[in-house]
């Protein structure tokens, strides 16, 4: 029975209904209202999981026609802010695609190039992901003037393939770039098509011997890369100062408590991970939230 099996699949996926969505854009120093200049999706804050779907471009039901386009300068910084900080471990990336005309008319079927990755850093046998409530990226200075889609993607790999299915959280902003100094034509990929179920960054199991990672998709392109493509084998980048770092594996804390008045030596913020197979981090939740088991691999402060 089709309906039942779909519901069962959702239950097996073990995800709570509250995920997260990139819903606010800051451009030119102005933080705009929710879904102003960002295409509004119709699936609340749920992920896309079908690697062959056009929804991988800008999310489900995201309409360009009802979205305004913001004027920006080449080199400007854009910040995407979420409703709830990213809490599924995995990389965050930003892509751009030039519209043949108006960004509001563009379906994203053209070429995409990647301008930023936030990958993990590894130390002492543990991976640290840059999980944050907002992500800031600088637009390249050398791209031609024109209208573009700027697409941000969080790829949640917390339920490892193939038992689980990685999740794409996506939003697209519409921008009109002026003041660009160049005519660079970066190498591009198609979406869908850029992500495959054989990509090591898609199939990675963060709970088992996880000590290296390649962010899916093409290499990050920048003006210094030239038009012929870049090689960026380790696109992990240092955290921006405003971000919250979440560590999937932590060293054991000292048993010497600094003070008898602090019985709990750690506290995980709401929506953070507090348990699961292979998890050795803090299992206490900040006051006002409790640790709930989502699946064998993931418990969360809710
Ligand atoms: Cu989720």
């Amino acid at each position: 029975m089709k309906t039942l099996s779909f519901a069962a699949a959702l239950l097996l996926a073990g995800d709570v209904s509250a995920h997260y969505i990139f819903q606010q854009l800051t451009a030119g120093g102005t933080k705009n209202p929710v879904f102003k200049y960002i295409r509004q999706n119709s699936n609340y804050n749920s992920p896309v999981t079908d690697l062959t779907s056009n929804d991988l471009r800008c999310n489900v039901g995201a309409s360009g026609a009802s979205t305004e386009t913001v004027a920006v300068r080449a080199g400007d910084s854009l910040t995407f802010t979420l409703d709830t900080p990213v809490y599924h471990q995995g990389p965050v990336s930003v892509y751009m695609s030039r519209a043949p005309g108006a960004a509001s008319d563009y379906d994203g079927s053209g070429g995409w190039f990647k301008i930023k990755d936030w990958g993990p850093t590894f130390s002492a046998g543990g991976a640290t992901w840059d999980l944050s409530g907002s992500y800031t990226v600088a637009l390249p200075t050398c791209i031609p003037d024109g209208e573009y889609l700027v697409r941000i993607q969080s790829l949640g790999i917390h339920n490892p393939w193939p038992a689980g299915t990685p999740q794409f959280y996506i939003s697209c902003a519409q921008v009109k770039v002026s003041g660009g100094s160049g005519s660079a034509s970066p190498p591009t990929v198609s979406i869908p098509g850029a992500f495959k179920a054989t990509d090591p960054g898609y199939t990675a199991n963060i709970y088992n011997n996880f000590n290296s990672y390649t962010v899916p998709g093409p290499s990050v392109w920048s003006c210094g890369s030239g038009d012929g493509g870049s090689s960026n084998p380790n696109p992990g980048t240092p955290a921006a100062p405003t971000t919250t770092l979440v560590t999937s594996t932590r060293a054991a804390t000292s048993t010497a408590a600094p003070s008898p008045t602090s019985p709990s030596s750690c506290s995980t913020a709401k929506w953070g991970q507090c348990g699961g197979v292979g998890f050795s981090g803090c299992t206490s939740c900040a006051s006002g939230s409790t640790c709930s088991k989502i699946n064998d691999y993931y418990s969360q402060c809710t």
Side-chain angles (χ1 to χ4, degrees), residues 173-258:
Q174 297 179 182
V175 304
K176 179 175 186 169
V177 176
S178 65
S181 63
S183 56
S185 66
T188 59
V189 296
S190 295
I191 300 175
F195 314 108
K196 299 183 178 61
T198 52
D199 290 345
Y202 184 88
T203 59
N205 186 326
I206 58 174
Y207 308 107
N208 185 20
N209 287 329
F210 186 60
N211 47 37
S212 70
Y213 186 76
T214 303
V215 178
S219 303
V220 170
W221 177 85
S222 64
C223 292
S225 307
D227 292 350
S230 62
S231 61
N232 185 1
N234 182 9
T237 49
T242 56
T243 58
T244 305
L245 296 177
V246 174
T247 306
S248 58
T249 304
R250 297 183 190 178
T253 50
S254 163
T255 51

Side-chain angles (χ1 to χ4, degrees), residues 15-20 45-47 87-88 158 167 169 298 300:
D15 235 294
V16 288
S17 58
H19 309 271
Y20 45 82
N45 56 10
S46 295
Y87 58 84
H88 291 318
H158 52 297
Q167 303 175 341
Y169 295 87
Y298 200 76
Q300 181 181 47

Side-chain angles (χ1 to χ4, degrees), residues 158-160 163 205 207 273 275-279 293 295-299:
H158 52 297
N159 290 320
N205 186 326
Y207 308 107
Q273 185 175 3
V277 173
F279 179 74
K293 179 178 175 178
N295 59 43
D296 286 347
Y297 289 105
Y298 200 76
S299 296

Side-chain angles (χ1 to χ4, degrees), residues 39-252:
R39 293 185 177 185
Q40 181 160 15
N41 58 306
S42 61
N43 57 338
Y44 186 44
N45 56 10
S46 295
V48 176
T49 56
D50 181 351
L51 292 174
T52 65
S53 171
N54 288 344
D55 292 338
L56 269 183
R57 293 172 186 162
C58 291
N59 211 341
V60 178
S63 159
S66 55
T67 307
E68 295 174 75
T69 299
V70 64
V72 296
R73 307 279 298 174
D76 274 1
S77 286
L78 297 180
T79 297
F80 290 86
T81 301
L82 298 110
D83 59 340
T84 298
V86 170
Y87 58 84
H88 291 318
Q89 294 181 62
V92 175
S93 303
V94 178
Y95 290 76
M96 293 182 74
S97 183
R98 190 177 182 191
S104 58
D105 294 334
Y106 181 41
D107 64 1
S109 57
W112 294 84
F113 55 99
K114 184 157 73 174
I115 60 170
K116 182 79 175 174
D117 273 336
W118 289 267
T121 54
F122 294 92
S123 66
T128 300
W129 297 93
D130 190 353
L131 306 186
S132 180
S134 65
Y135 293 83
T136 297
V137 64
L139 297 171
T141 54
C142 61
I143 53 175
D145 288 352
E147 301 202 10
Y148 290 80
L149 295 177
V150 183
R151 171 187 179 276
I152 188 164
Q153 163 186 302
S154 157
L155 175 58
I157 55 172
H158 52 297
N159 290 320
W161 177 265
T165 305
Q167 303 175 341
F168 292 82
Y169 295 87
I170 309 154
S171 287
C172 289
Q174 297 179 182
V175 304
K176 179 175 186 169
V177 176
S178 65
S181 63
S183 56
S185 66
T188 59
V189 296
S190 295
I191 300 175
F195 314 108
K196 299 183 178 61
T198 52
D199 290 345
Y202 184 88
T203 59
N205 186 326
I206 58 174
Y207 308 107
N208 185 20
N209 287 329
F210 186 60
N211 47 37
S212 70
Y213 186 76
T214 303
V215 178
S219 303
V220 170
W221 177 85
S222 64
C223 292
S225 307
D227 292 350
S230 62
S231 61
N232 185 1
N234 182 9
T237 49
T242 56
T243 58
T244 305
L245 296 177
V246 174
T247 306
S248 58
T249 304
R250 297 183 190 178

